Amino acid sequence: MIYLQLFLEFFHIGLFSFGGGYATLPFLYHIAETQMWYTTKQLSDMIAISSITPGPVGVNVATFAGYTASGVLGALTATASVILPSLIIVIIISKLLEQFKHNKYVKSVIYSIKPAGCGLLAAVAVNMFLSDMSVKGIVLFVVLFCLSLHKKHDPLFYLGVSALAGLGCSFINS
Amino acid sequence: MEKSLWNIYKTFFKVGTLLLGGGYVILPLLQSELIEKKNWIDNDELCEYYALSQSIPGLIAANVSIFTGYRLRRTSGAIAAISGMITSPFLCIILLAKILEEIIALNFVQGIFWGVGIGVLVLIYLAVKEIWHKSVVDKYSFSIFLIVFLLSVCLKVSPAILIVLSIISGIILQIFKNKRENSVKEDKE
């Protein structure tokens, strides 16, 4: 039963991948090796593609695997399965927080995890910056940064300008 | 704007459509759509949801969307938010699945991919600046920020572990505060 298999594999990913970002990748490679839904080569393409398609990598790969395994219905099954554990866990935590929001310990914990969340996001930015930085990358970064100082823009503005810049660079190179 | 389920779905549909280059962009997108344009939540809450999302299983963007949706309209809001968030990604992959390899081979697609990566970096930097003011408010929160940042960048410690450590630190802080209050009371007596 292909739908049950898709459900089990992707529910498993949703339940056990901690920390987001690329935490799902080891699981996805494991599926490529054990199931016939996609090959490792297809997965690498898929990961590259998911940076230019909307949505988190995990959702993109789930949709893709489900689709290649069993069409649109398979895609729907896999996508829903990877989200379902989050939905259950987050709703439970939200309910608990609502109930205990005036508790001193809960307040103190929230006060402590906020700077930690900020630190983690700053670390993401630094790691991204260090992982692939070229001269043209730094130039584009500085240009966008200066635009942000001048006036507050919509995120779409930055994505649009940077996509156009990338498009321009690829034509100059070729 | 009214927080109806349809409006929540539409807002997250837009966020899901613009969610390029990895799930972290969810933060700047929610800041722009939900905080600045609609005033539905504030930076303080968003920062809390982001930190909590890191400490539990699941995709960050999905977790943050569900937390936010729940905050707006409880369980039905959570479902509306996550459905909206994944609609565009879902349709996009189904349409592209058959021509995946052809797309990857195109030179200009690689160029766009590179450019968007830099754009995302700027967006994340701006998001950090926004939540900084709400989360780093005194010496204690600054030291948490610094320790988490350094452990994450230099030693690549997993985000889940760092959040659990800061949860423990919050509990210890409260225990100390309780003791101090008790001793002040005893002194008065």
Side-chain angles (χ1 to χ4, degrees):
Chain A
M1 182 64 183
I2 186 80
Y3 298 111
L4 185 66
Q5 254 181 327
L6 282 170
F7 169 78
L8 289 176
E9 288 286 357
F10 283 97
F11 190 84
H12 177 91
I13 295 183
L15 195 56
F16 290 107
S17 60
F18 273 88
Y22 291 100
T24 47
L25 293 191
F27 293 99
L28 298 170
Y29 276 104
H30 181 73
I31 291 184
E33 285 156 12
T34 53
Q35 304 279 359
M36 300 309 236
W37 299 332
Y38 51 82
T39 61
T40 356
K41 168 75 174 60
Q42 275 179 313
L43 179 60
S44 311
D45 286 351
M46 195 55 231
I47 292 160
I49 282 277
S50 53
S51 4
I52 46 168
T53 57
V57 185
V59 170
N60 287 163
V61 178
T63 310
F64 176 72
Y67 187 75
T68 51
S70 173
V72 176
L73 207 56
L76 211 56
T77 311
T79 312
S81 310
V82 83
I83 296 297
L84 195 60
S86 291
L87 196 61
I88 298 168
I89 296 167
V90 171
I91 288 176
I92 292 173
I93 294 183
S94 298
K95 284 191 191 298
L96 287 174
L97 281 177
E98 246 175 8
Q99 210 167 352
F100 294 105
K101 65 179 167 199
H102 298 301
N103 179 292
K104 273 196 282 187
Y105 288 95
V106 172
K107 276 188 183 165
S108 176
V109 163
I110 297 220
Y111 162 70
S112 303
I113 62 169
K114 279 193 286 193
C118 187
L120 286 175
L121 195 63
V124 167
V126 170
N127 283 333
M128 281 174 80
F129 190 83
L130 296 176
S131 70
D132 59 345
M133 256 311 141
S134 53
V135 176
K136 61 177 184 175
I138 292 170
V139 171
L140 181 55
F141 181 86
V142 170
V143 169
L144 291 172
F145 177 76
C146 293
L147 287 171
S148 82
L149 291 177
H150 170 62
K151 178 173 156 265
K152 209 166 201 172
H153 298 281
D154 202 84
L156 189 56
F157 170 82
Y158 297 102
L159 294 175
V161 171
S162 58
L164 283 178
L167 191 63
C169 282
S170 69
F171 279 122
I172 293 166
N173 288 345
S174 62
Chain B
M1 201 177 188
E2 192 202 342
K3 294 176 198 169
S4 69
L5 291 179
W6 175 237
N7 281 339
I8 295 175
Y9 178 86
K10 272 196 303 189
T11 307
F12 277 86
F13 176 82
K14 186 173 176 195
V15 169
T17 309
L18 292 178
L19 195 75
L20 299 159
Y24 296 107
V25 199
I26 190 87
L27 258 86
L29 293 177
L30 290 181
Q31 271 171 348
S32 154
E33 288 301 317
L34 276 87
I35 298 177
E36 282 153 25
K37 289 186 191 156
K38 300 202 174 68
N39 217 354
W40 281 356
I41 57 168
D42 56 40
N43 267 307
D44 208 22
E45 289 166 308
L46 186 63
C47 186
E48 178 187 325
Y49 300 152
Y50 178 69
L52 286 170
S53 296
Q54 295 268 21
S55 64
I56 58 174
L59 308 165
I60 298 297
N63 289 348
V64 175
S65 304
I66 300 167
F67 268 119
T68 314
Y70 185 90
R71 155 77 174 68
L72 296 171
R73 281 290 294 264
R74 319 215 35 166
T75 303
S76 49
I79 295 170
I82 190 66
S83 319
M85 209 274 280
I86 60 174
T87 303
S88 277
F90 183 80
L91 295 176
C92 206
I93 295 297
I94 290 204
L95 293 174
L96 293 179
K98 292 229 167 83
I99 46 167
L100 206 66
E101 278 162 47
E102 286 83 348
I103 297 175
I104 270 294
L106 293 173
N107 195 14
F108 74 88
V109 174
Q110 301 276 1
I112 295 176
F113 161 52
W114 170 82
V116 166
I118 306 286
V120 163
L121 189 55
V122 175
L123 287 179
I124 293 180
Y125 164 76
L126 295 173
V128 171
K129 238 173 59 177
E130 294 278 334
I131 59 176
W132 166 274
H133 299 296
K134 285 290 179 177
S135 59
V136 182
V137 286
D138 50 22
K139 273 185 200 156
Y140 170 77
S141 48
F142 179 72
S143 37
I144 295 247
F145 170 86
L146 199 64
I147 293 167
V148 167
F149 176 77
L150 291 175
L151 286 177
S152 182
V153 171
C154 305
L155 299 177
K156 311 275 177 228
V157 179
S158 138
I161 292 175
L162 293 171
I163 296 287
V164 170
L165 287 178
S166 50
I167 289 176
I168 296 171
S169 149
I171 295 172
I172 295 173
L173 178 75
Q174 189 56 43
I175 293 174
F176 271 109
K177 275 187 186 164
N178 286 351
K179 274 195 182 151
R180 208 184 308 154
E181 276 168 26
N182 286 342
S183 60
V184 170
K185 270 182 205 161
E186 277 166 19
D187 284 349
K188 278 181 186 167
E189 282 162 14

